[in-house]
Amino acid sequence: MAGGWAQGSRRAARLPEGGRLMAPASRLLALWALAAVALPGSGAEGDGGWYAFVRPVILQGLTDNSRFRALCSRDRLLASFGDRVVRLSTANTYSYHKVDLPFQEYVEQLLHPQDPTSLGNDTLYFFGDNNFTEWASLFRHYSPPPFGLLGTAPAYSFGIAGAGSGVPFHWHGPGYSEVIYGRKRWFLYPPEKTPEFHPNKTTLAWLRDTYPALPPSARPLECTIRAGEVLYFPDRWWHATLNLDTSVFISTFLG
């Protein structure tokens, strides 16, 4: 179980957590607070404002989302949204294919540990494409990190996925990702360093087949985000994710 979320009927593969912080601490900072995300250009290089724009940052203890977490239990979500239609994406880099089905059907029939042999376009994943009108009663209880980027408006993407699932390498604008239940492992590269990956292979397959052969100089920054923690990802950083448990998570995109 993961906070009321069952792992599913299939047996999950053993998923390595990868340690709390495998990259050099000087490159991926674990901070208790970030004071200047909304102030680009403020302060000297190396302070909180600088890292907000050029480095991923782990944020801890900034908000209390215990109410939101309680509403995100399996039973509560099924009671409130079981008959609502959700849109699923394929778990490949470009996520072209979409499938609509009732949320209860997704939870009861598709929310199971990732099959290591499945390709990304054969794997359906609930993240983003949320109907904000239908899910407003849930989202209004979420407290995002109290920092923004000037000239941007935040947008939420909510997701639930099984152990071993995830999205292979891709990039987009900056934002935050918070784990509500479970654990999510992240692999990140700066914009100028394109990772070695196949866009239709799952993150689990990449971790098994490609990651072990990477020389130290080609390894990504990586960390595991646990329930209640938030990762800030800067603009255009390559990243792939791997859910180590059945996980509930929400991202706040800035811009």
Side-chain angles (χ1 to χ4, degrees):
M1 301 289 286
W5 282 92
Q7 296 296 334
S9 58
R10 298 185 186 176
R11 184 175 180 178
R14 293 179 62 88
L15 301 177
E17 183 171 315
R20 187 66 189 97
L21 185 65
M22 294 182 69
S26 61
R27 298 190 66 196
L28 184 59
L29 297 183
L31 301 180
W32 290 102
L34 184 62
V37 176
L39 302 174
S42 66
E45 179 175 334
D47 69 6
W50 174 261
Y51 274 99
F53 287 86
V54 300
R55 298 283 191 248
V57 180
I58 298 171
L59 305 173
Q60 299 171 317
L62 292 179
T63 56
D64 179 6
N65 276 308
S66 55
R67 172 62 175 162
F68 184 74
R69 176 182 167 86
L71 293 173
C72 288
S73 70
R74 186 180 190 275
D75 291 345
R76 296 288 288 272
L77 284 181
L78 285 175
S80 299
F81 303 102
D83 61 345
R84 304 290 176 86
V85 173
V86 295
R87 175 158 292 180
L88 309 180
S89 301
T90 50
N92 51 354
T93 293
Y94 304 111
S95 296
Y96 288 132
H97 186 54
K98 308 288 184 180
V99 174
D100 293 343
L101 79 173
F103 178 64
Q104 183 166 348
E105 183 177 337
Y106 171 68
V107 171
E108 295 181 349
Q109 298 185 23
L110 299 179
L111 190 63
H112 47 61
Q114 174 71 43
D115 181 348
T117 65
S118 293
L119 294 175
N121 60 5
D122 296 325
T123 304
L124 294 173
Y125 193 81
F126 175 44
F127 177 61
D129 289 311
N130 307 123
N131 185 315
F132 289 94
T133 300
E134 293 187 351
W135 290 76
S137 61
L138 175 67
F139 292 158
R140 66 186 176 88
H141 293 284
Y142 178 66
S143 298
F147 310 116
L149 296 177
L150 295 177
T152 70
Y156 295 148
S157 285
F158 180 70
I160 304 170
S165 64
V167 179
F169 283 102
H170 62 288
W171 59 266
H172 43 61
Y176 303 103
S177 179
E178 179 168 355
V179 172
I180 307 302
Y181 285 103
R183 297 168 300 156
K184 184 183 288 286
R185 188 173 172 185
W186 285 73
F187 307 90
L188 305 105
Y189 288 96
E192 68 275 9
K193 193 171 184 178
T194 303
E196 178 184 343
F197 74 102
H198 188 289
N200 197 33
K201 284 192 174 181
T202 64
T203 305
L204 188 60
W206 174 86
L207 184 64
R208 178 194 62 196
D209 300 335
T210 303
Y211 178 90
L214 293 175
S217 61
R219 289 285 176 103
L221 301 181
E222 55 186 277
C223 63
T224 297
I225 303 299
R226 297 176 174 83
E229 296 182 332
V230 180
L231 178 70
Y232 172 78
F233 47 86
D235 190 25
R236 298 175 183 266
W237 271 64
W238 289 96
H239 55 279
T241 59
L242 179 68
N243 296 297
L244 301 181
D245 313 297
T246 298
S247 298
V248 180
F249 41 91
I250 185 168
S251 291
T252 304
F253 291 100
L254 304 175

